[in-house]
Amino acid sequence: MIQLGQGLYWDQLKIGDQFKSWGRTITDADIVNFVNATGMLEVLFTDAEFRSRSSAIPGRVAPAALVYSIAEGMLFVTLFQGTGLAFLNAEIDVKGPVVAGDTIHVEVEVTDVRPTSKKDGRGLVRTRNTVINQRGEVVLVYTPLRL
């Protein structure tokens, strides 16, 4: 029987494969819950009066760590559900702000696929994950390597 929603294994992927996630709107509640759970109590995220006086970005700004976390979550339930073993590293490049009310999606391109050096049937996959908002603007790019 086929398991619905199961991700792809490393040996089912090839360099150049591309995928696109569904969208997700970032809410005020997402931002408030994230900054409270992580302790990121920066006034830019918590003080509406400060934001109205001092921020160059209109609206409630989402921490880039939240945007990255939501992007990863969007991929967990699709691309690698039940098939990945470990997140090894990533380079993250923030390209622009995300504010409450923005809807993001992730576009994934496989950039490297190879077996591990241990010859144990496992493999490594690197992707370039581009997070894009509803206006088509790239807001974050990251390149995870997974086992």
Side-chain angles (χ1 to χ4, degrees):
M1 183 177 301
I2 296 172
Q3 175 70 52
L4 292 176
Q6 181 170 326
L8 300 170
Y9 289 97
W10 74 273
D11 56 358
Q12 295 173 298
L13 297 168
K14 63 184 183 310
I15 294 173
D17 282 349
Q18 295 182 340
F19 308 94
K20 180 180 176 182
S21 75
W22 291 100
R24 185 179 185 296
T25 302
I26 308 301
T27 67
D28 279 319
D30 291 328
I31 297 168
V32 169
N33 288 330
F34 186 82
V35 298
N36 285 329
T38 61
M40 288 187 171
L41 302 174
E42 159 65 39
V43 294
L44 183 62
F45 307 136
T46 61
D47 185 333
E49 291 304 312
F50 174 83
R51 277 194 314 274
S52 69
R53 287 190 321 270
S54 304
S55 178
I57 304 166
R60 182 184 290 270
V61 180
L66 169 62
V67 176
Y68 160 77
S69 298
I70 288 176
E72 278 289 277
M74 291 164 57
L75 297 178
F76 265 99
V77 298
T78 55
L79 185 57
F80 44 86
Q81 179 72 275
T83 61
L85 294 175
F87 176 91
L88 300 176
N89 75 3
E91 184 175 306
I92 300 173
D93 188 9
V94 178
K95 300 290 191 179
V98 173
V99 298
D102 280 352
T103 299
I104 61 170
H105 73 273
V106 186
E107 295 182 4
V108 178
E109 181 177 2
V110 177
T111 59
D112 189 24
V113 179
R114 64 183 186 276
T116 65
S117 59
K118 295 184 179 182
K119 311 268 190 253
D120 58 3
R122 296 178 183 171
L124 300 169
V125 176
R126 183 169 304 275
T127 58
R128 177 180 171 84
N129 299 354
T130 304
V131 181
I132 301 170
N133 67 18
Q134 73 276 11
R135 292 177 297 280
E137 301 163 338
V138 173
V139 295
L140 191 135
V141 176
Y142 65 103
T143 57
L145 178 65
R146 303 179 199 279
L147 177 63

